[in-house]
């Protein structure tokens, strides 16, 4: 009897203890318990990295924490439209918003975002043990303020690289023909002159042989900002014109007469070089935006081109979408002779280091739960599979993961280039007026593309228009 | 007195909705139009600047060009849609095998969202993959490239609009034609009128209100077209298809020049009203006045 009651008491004691002592499963379930039932809303551009968040990371997080995450993936302009209107009107619909580098400075100027570093310091109970800001690559610096505090969790990061067709470049017959025509060995271009020669050769080769093949791609839409960005982010820097030719330290000067570079001789040489390439590129180039250059390359229509890294991976590895799988070489963009030295010396950059982060709007109604989710996607452990599914690397440890190393081989060293030479590339200039200056100068830029105004005269007009706009916005005194 | 109160109570929800979603936003836009306001500028505050925004747009070549292009677009698109819509409505009046099927097929573009229409047309017109450039090159040796040729781009936006909206005109005019009494037509035939005379003197006057209503609807739509054109040409090449709706979008959204964008919106609304009024005077009021004399 006593024994029976003893067992009963022990069972009761265990029952009471298990009900009062909180379960210590892991940080996520414990931290998430307080916010169970909360629904987080995020808005982002529909890109492979964003879709991975929506399809894989959000459901995983929900499973671990009980916090539901709804990610809305939409077009680039819709995404900005929705996010900005929400933060502007303080409606608090979104708990996470995609921040591209060129908008972060405008968001910071408007105090739209939560300081993630400070928020986690202020409430250590929210800090995930696996999350560490120092694990991010230097790309995270683009989402920090002057004090070094983080305002966005990096989620997308890639460089715009020079892709070339190894099957064409290694073809002995083509090599011989190239040698005969130019007196040089066919190899990936290091200078603009070499790139032009190769482009001209392959365009002629395609025509002579009745092939749908051209010498180069060109992101040269005649009415879309993509072409403007191709010039200022990918072409002008290789001629030594950085930050769109605007000198922020010199009263935001854009024109040469005021100390800027937008209409400098270098910029004028750059645009003439690019216009020539555009003229020998496939016909769709005049309507190509960000992704179409990748599509053109993947369709086997060009021998070489500057392509965004996010496309490089599927072009090189996805046989369902690409006709050139296994035949894609990766190299640094060609430059003027002294530019590479200049860049290696820390002055300027070779091209665009593109990407974005997930930020937490100050208007969010679920800041704590959102902070948990942002840390979840910033952990080292979730990165390798994400990097395979969508070619982006934001955490240093990702480079050493065996799956990523394997993928790097398929991409002919794209990740290695990102790791070793990513420092030669740069994100958007730290200007809070990206869209405004772009829109003020783009109509003149399109006129240059259409031949309605000459390149020299057009760049002069653009520099003037940029300065006028900067004055209107109150930046230029 | 009592019935008046009940009437107002019944109307109250409508008035409230109209006020909240129509009048208040319009008044706000009007208010913003008299301010310099760029929330992403160095000074993000709204500063009253009188009629400066309105003064500015008189000298804004981009705005004036966009207005001119929009007028041209609206003229060709609406005129073609009315003509084609009427012909199709007449065709669908006749008995022929599969008439119901063709009527249904014909209305399909109407249920496609404008953004999808733009995407599909872009796919169809892209030089490397589009079916249209492919056929034009193979059949006529013509290289279609809307990224390079302004006239082609403009024409394509008009054709796309015609493809999308002609069914609306057809349906409206078909309904109008079906509702017409038979007697005047029989009378005209007995009097020996030919088909042209019957069209000008019997059919057209009787369906005039339906045509006018359709023209108004299509004109207003054509003047504010944005999404389809944005998807197809992004306003290019250059500014060849930067219609005023797209122009406003670019001023308000990427440039974040809210004050100026609001001023343009107000002016465009005013221009739309004026155009509709002129059309009304030309086609209805003058005719009614003639009748009374």
């Amino acid at each position: 009897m006593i024994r029976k009651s003893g067992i009963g008491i022990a069972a009761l004691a265990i029952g009471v203890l298990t009900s009062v002592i909180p379960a210590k499963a892991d940080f996520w379930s414990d931290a998430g318990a307080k916010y169970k039932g909360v629904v987080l809303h995020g808005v982002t551009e529909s890109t492979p990295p964003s879709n991975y968040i929506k399809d894989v990371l959000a459901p995983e997080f929900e499973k671990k924490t009980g916090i539901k995450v709804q990610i809305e993936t939409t077009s680039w302009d819709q995404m900005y439209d929705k996010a900005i209107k929400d933060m502007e009107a303080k409606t608090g619909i979104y708990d996470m918003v995609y921040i591209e580098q060129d908008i972060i400075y405008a968001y910071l100027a408007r105090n739209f975002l939560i300081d993630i570093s400070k928020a986690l310091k202020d409430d250590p109970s929210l800090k995930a043990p696996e999350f560490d800001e120092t694990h991010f690559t230097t790309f995270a610096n683009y989402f920090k303020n002057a004090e070094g505090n983080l305002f966005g969790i990096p989620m997308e990061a890639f460089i715009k690289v020079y892709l070339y067709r190894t099957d064409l470049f290694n073809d002995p017959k083509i090599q011989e023909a190239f040698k005969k025509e130019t007196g040089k060995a066919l190899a990936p271009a290091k200078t603009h002159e070499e790139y032009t020669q190769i482009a001209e050769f392959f365009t002629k080769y395609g025509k002579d042989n009745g092939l749908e093949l051209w010498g180069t791609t060109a992101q040269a839409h005649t009415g879309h900002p993509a072409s403007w960005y191709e010039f200022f982010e990918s072409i002008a820097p290789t001629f030594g014109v950085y930050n769109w030719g605007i000198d922020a330290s010199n009263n935001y000067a854009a024109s040469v007469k005021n100390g800027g570079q937008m209409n400098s001789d270098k910029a004028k040489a750059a645009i003439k070089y690019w216009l020539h390439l555009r003229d020998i590129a496939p016909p769709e180039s005049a309507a190509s935006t960000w992704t179409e250059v990748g599509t053109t390359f993947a369709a086997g229509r060009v021998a070489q081109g500057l392509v965004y890294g996010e496309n490089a991976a599927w072009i090189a590895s996805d046989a369902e979408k690409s006709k050139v799988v296994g035949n894609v070489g990766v190299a640094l963009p060609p430059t003027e002779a002294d530019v590479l030295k200049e860049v290696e010396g820390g002055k300027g950059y070779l091209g665009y280091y593109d990407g974005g982060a997930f930020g937490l709007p100050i208007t969010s109604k679920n800041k704590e739960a959102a902070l948990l989710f942002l840390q979840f996607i910033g952990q080292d452990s979730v990165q390798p599979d994400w990097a395979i599914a969508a070619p982006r690397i934001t955490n240093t440890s990702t480079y050493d993961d065996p799956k990523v190393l394997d993928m790097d081989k398929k991409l002919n060293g794209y990740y290695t280039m990102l790791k070793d030479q990513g420092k030669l590339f740069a994100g958007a200039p730290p200007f809070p007026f990206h869209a405004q200056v772009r829109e003020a100068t783009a109509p003149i830029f399109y006129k240059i593309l259409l031949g309605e105004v000459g390149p020299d005269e057009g760049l002069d007009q653009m520099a003037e228009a940029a300065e006028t706009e900067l004055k209107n916005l109150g930046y230029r005194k | 007195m009592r019935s008046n109160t009940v009437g107002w109570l019944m109307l109250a929800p409508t008035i409230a909705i109209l006020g909240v979603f129509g009048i208040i936003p319009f008044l706000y836009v009007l208010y913003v139009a008299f301010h310099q306001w760029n929330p992403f500028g160095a000074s993000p505050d709204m500063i009253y600047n009188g009629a400066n925004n309105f003064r500015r747009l008189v000298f804004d070549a981009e705005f004036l060009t966009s207005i001119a292009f929009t007028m041209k677009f609206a003229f060709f698109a609406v005129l073609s849609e009315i003509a084609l819509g009427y012909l199709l409505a007449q065709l669908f009046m006749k008995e022929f095998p599969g008439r119901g099927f063709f009527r249904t097929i014909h209305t399909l573009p109407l249920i496609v969202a404008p953004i999808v229409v733009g995407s599909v047309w872009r796919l169809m017109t892209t030089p490397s993959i589009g079916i249209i450039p492919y056929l034009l090159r193979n059949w006529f040796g013509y290289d279609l490239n809307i990224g390079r040729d302004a006239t082609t781009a403009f024409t394509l936006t008009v054709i796309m609009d015609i493809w999308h909206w002609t069914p609306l005109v057809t349906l409206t005019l078909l309904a109008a034609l079906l509702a017409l009494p038979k007697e005047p037509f029989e009378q005209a035939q007995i009097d020996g009128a030919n088909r042209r005379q019957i069209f000008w003197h019997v059919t057209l006057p009787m369906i005039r209100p339906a045509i006018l209503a359709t023209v108004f609807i299509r004109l207003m739509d054509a003047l504010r077209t944005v999404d389809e054109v944005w998807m197809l040409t992004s306003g290019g090449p250059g500014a060849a298809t930067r219609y005023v709706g797209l122009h406003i979008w670019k001023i308000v959204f990427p440039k974040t020049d809210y004050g100026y964008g609001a001023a343009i919106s107000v002016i465009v609304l005013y221009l739309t009203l004026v155009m509709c009024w002129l059309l009304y005077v030309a086609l209805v009021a003058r005719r009614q006045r003639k009748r009374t004399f």
Side-chain angles (χ1 to χ4, degrees):
Chain A
M1 186 68 186
I2 292 168
R3 209 171 145 189
K4 265 188 186 174
S5 60
I7 292 168
I9 289 164
L12 186 69
I14 291 166
V16 169
L17 276 173
T18 50
S19 66
V20 293
I21 297 173
K24 277 283 172 196
D26 71 351
F27 167 79
W28 298 110
S29 56
D30 292 349
K34 270 194 276 182
Y35 311 104
K36 206 165 186 172
V38 165
V39 182
L40 296 174
H41 296 274
V43 65
T44 181
E45 188 186 357
S46 181
T47 60
S50 294
N51 288 329
Y52 188 84
I53 294 182
K54 183 184 166 190
D55 300 334
V56 180
L57 297 179
E60 257 180 41
F61 178 75
E62 188 185 340
K63 213 167 153 188
K64 290 194 169 183
T65 60
I67 300 168
K68 199 169 170 59
V69 183
Q70 288 182 346
I71 302 288
E72 192 181 330
T73 52
T74 181
S75 69
W76 177 74
D77 38 3
Q78 275 288 310
M79 173 264 297
Y80 274 132
D81 193 31
K82 289 181 169 195
I84 290 174
K85 276 178 187 158
D86 180 47
M87 295 186 290
E88 180 82 38
K90 299 184 173 66
T91 35
I93 293 169
Y94 296 115
D95 305 296
M96 281 101 53
V97 292
Y98 176 85
I99 321 165
E100 211 168 356
Q101 294 165 68
D102 46 11
I103 200 81
I104 177 110
Y105 308 104
Y107 283 6
L108 291 179
R110 298 289 317 276
N111 291 321
F112 275 168
L113 302 171
I114 294 270
D115 181 337
I116 294 170
S117 309
K118 186 176 176 298
L120 292 177
K121 212 174 273 175
D122 290 348
D123 187 351
S125 71
L126 290 171
K127 172 79 176 61
E130 267 194 75
F131 176 78
D132 190 337
E133 283 180 27
T134 62
H135 288 192
F136 290 126
T137 62
T138 51
F139 181 69
N141 294 342
Y142 289 107
F143 303 98
K144 288 178 179 173
N145 66 358
E147 285 79 49
N149 285 3
L150 196 66
F151 283 78
I153 302 296
M155 52 161 275
E156 204 175 53
F158 50 86
I159 49 179
K160 196 168 184 187
V161 286
Y162 167 27
L163 295 189
Y164 60 94
R165 290 267 303 275
T166 51
D167 56 332
L168 297 177
F169 275 64
N170 295 334
D171 185 327
K173 274 186 194 164
I174 294 177
Q175 283 177 339
E176 199 186 316
F178 185 78
K179 179 95 179 170
K180 203 175 160 191
E181 194 143 327
T182 65
K184 291 178 184 170
L186 180 59
K190 287 199 163 51
T191 65
H192 293 124
E193 196 192 339
E194 288 169 1
Y195 188 89
T196 307
Q197 267 183 344
I198 296 170
E200 284 169 347
F201 169 79
F202 275 110
T203 299
K204 187 172 175 293
Y205 181 84
K207 206 174 177 183
D208 291 348
N209 292 283
L211 300 170
E212 288 281 305
L213 178 72
W214 284 264
T216 180
T217 59
Q219 184 181 303
H221 198 297
T222 47
H224 190 282
S227 52
W228 191 98
Y229 279 113
E230 163 112 325
F231 179 68
F232 282 107
E233 287 179 346
S234 309
I235 305 297
T238 62
F239 279 80
V241 179
Y242 313 115
N243 298 327
W244 310 349
I246 295 174
D247 187 353
S249 63
N250 180 22
N251 193 23
Y252 293 103
S255 64
V256 171
K257 70 174 176 196
N258 292 321
Q261 287 273 306
M262 195 180 263
N263 59 339
S264 61
D265 289 344
K266 287 177 181 177
K268 287 174 179 173
I271 201 156
K272 283 170 199 158
Y273 159 79
W274 185 61
L275 286 174
H276 173 63
L277 293 180
R278 187 273 315 258
D279 291 341
I280 55 168
E284 68 266 29
S285 299
S288 288
T289 67
W290 331 102
T291 47
E292 283 91 344
V293 286
T295 317
T296 294
F297 195 100
R301 293 168 61 78
V302 289
Q304 54 177 4
L306 294 182
V307 176
Y308 287 100
E310 64 176 345
N311 295 319
W314 67 260
I315 291 171
S317 61
D318 190 342
E320 276 182 26
K321 293 183 192 168
S322 171
K323 285 185 183 172
V324 293
V325 170
N327 295 320
V328 181
V330 185
L332 290 177
T335 60
E336 281 299 279
D338 49 351
V339 168
L340 190 58
K341 273 186 209 155
E342 203 171 90
V343 171
E344 282 170 342
K347 190 190 165 203
Y349 50 90
L350 271 191
Y352 191 39
Y353 203 140
D354 195 7
F358 244 22
L360 171 51
I362 205 140
T363 47
S364 158
K365 290 169 184 156
N366 304 296
K367 293 186 184 73
E368 292 79 11
L371 269 172
L372 289 176
F373 181 68
L374 291 181
Q375 292 179 87
F376 186 78
I377 66 169
Q379 302 174 95
D380 285 341
S381 57
V382 304
Q383 302 299 325
D385 287 335
W386 196 359
I388 304 296
R392 29 69 69 211
I393 289 188
T394 56
N395 295 34
T396 46
S397 66
T398 316
Y399 288 116
D400 302 324
D401 185 271
K403 281 183 275 185
V404 175
L405 288 171
D406 188 43
M407 184 71 172
D408 191 42
K409 279 180 203 153
K410 284 185 197 159
L411 300 181
N412 269 323
Y414 170 70
Y415 287 141
T416 307
M417 179 180 277
L418 192 65
K419 183 184 176 187
D420 297 340
Q421 290 169 311
K423 59 180 184 250
L424 302 178
F425 293 77
F431 299 153
F433 45 71
H434 278 229
Q436 290 84 355
V437 169
R438 186 196 71 216
E439 283 304 311
T441 53
I444 306 165
F445 186 73
Y446 302 145
K447 282 184 185 174
I448 298 176
L449 297 191
L450 290 169
E452 290 171 8
V453 58
D456 292 358
E457 192 194 337
L459 283 179
D460 290 341
Q461 290 177 14
M462 283 172 72
E464 203 176 312
E467 286 179 351
T468 306
E469 184 64 17
L470 286 166
K471 211 173 265 180
N472 287 342
L473 291 167
Y475 292 102
R476 187 172 161 78
K477 306 295 172 209
Chain B
M1 189 67 191
R2 193 177 160 274
S3 66
N4 257 358
T5 314
V6 173
W8 279 112
L9 277 174
M10 302 282 274
L11 273 175
T14 312
I15 292 170
I17 290 168
L18 197 66
V20 171
F21 295 107
I23 296 165
I24 294 174
F26 174 70
L27 291 176
Y28 181 67
V29 169
L30 203 58
Y31 173 76
V32 174
F34 287 95
H35 290 78
Q36 182 194 317
W37 185 31
N38 194 323
F40 290 90
S43 159
D45 302 327
M46 217 188 255
I47 303 159
Y48 177 73
N49 69 349
N52 266 0
N53 289 332
F54 294 96
R55 211 169 292 141
R56 187 176 149 193
L57 62 83
V58 177
F59 302 101
D60 182 349
E62 276 179 22
F63 165 70
L64 297 174
T65 311
S66 76
I67 285 283
F69 283 141
T70 309
M71 297 290 186
K72 203 166 105 180
F73 169 78
F75 176 78
F76 284 112
V78 176
L79 201 68
S80 311
E81 283 158 21
I82 297 293
L84 201 58
Y86 176 77
L87 289 175
L88 284 167
Q90 280 290 7
L91 181 73
F92 288 136
M93 289 277 287
K94 295 187 191 332
E95 280 293 340
F96 60 89
R99 185 175 70 159
F101 174 75
F102 284 113
R103 271 189 190 179
T104 312
I105 289 288
H106 165 260
T107 55
L108 284 182
L110 270 186
I111 55 171
V112 183
I115 204 89
V116 179
V117 170
S119 311
V120 169
W121 275 80
R122 184 170 175 180
L123 275 178
M124 293 196 304
T125 54
T126 300
S128 54
I129 52 168
I131 181 80
I132 297 175
Y134 175 80
L135 293 177
L136 287 175
R137 189 164 6 120
N138 283 359
W139 290 351
F140 308 107
Y142 175 73
D143 278 323
L144 177 89
N145 194 333
I146 58 168
R148 287 185 183 255
D149 185 14
T151 312
T152 314
F154 171 79
T155 310
L156 268 175
T157 58
V158 173
I159 294 173
M160 177 174 67
D161 199 77
I162 293 170
W163 177 84
H164 195 189
W165 294 111
T166 298
L168 177 80
V169 180
T170 310
L171 287 182
T172 317
L173 297 187
L174 185 62
L177 287 171
L178 287 170
L180 292 181
K182 283 183 183 164
E183 293 78 12
F185 293 94
E186 289 167 357
Q187 194 95 46
Q189 275 175 330
I190 291 165
D191 290 345
N194 60 27
R195 287 173 73 175
R196 194 171 54 86
Q197 286 168 324
I198 290 176
F199 170 74
W200 284 110
H201 301 291
V202 182
T203 317
L204 199 59
M206 289 170 82
I207 60 164
R208 188 185 302 274
I211 292 178
L212 202 65
T214 317
V215 168
F216 280 164
I217 293 168
R218 285 304 310 130
L219 184 66
M220 286 187 279
D221 273 345
L223 291 176
R224 63 189 173 91
T225 187
V226 176
D227 22 23
E228 287 169 328
V229 178
W230 170 251
M231 286 309 295
L232 181 62
T233 65
S234 301
T241 56
R242 187 168 164 147
Y243 302 134
V244 75
L246 203 53
H247 183 67
I248 293 172
W249 181 82
K250 288 195 174 191
I251 295 285
V252 173
F253 183 60
K255 265 191 111 176
T256 57
D257 196 347
Y258 289 6
Y260 188 49
I264 299 181
S265 307
V266 170
I267 287 298
V268 170
L269 175 67
Y270 177 73
L271 285 177
T272 309
L273 289 173
V274 167
M275 282 177 66
C276 288
W277 177 76
L278 286 174
L279 210 63
Y280 175 78
V281 169
L283 296 178
V284 180
R286 217 173 53 182
R287 190 166 288 271
Q288 279 174 350
R289 259 204 314 274
K290 268 185 193 167
R291 270 193 207 139
T292 48
F293 283 115

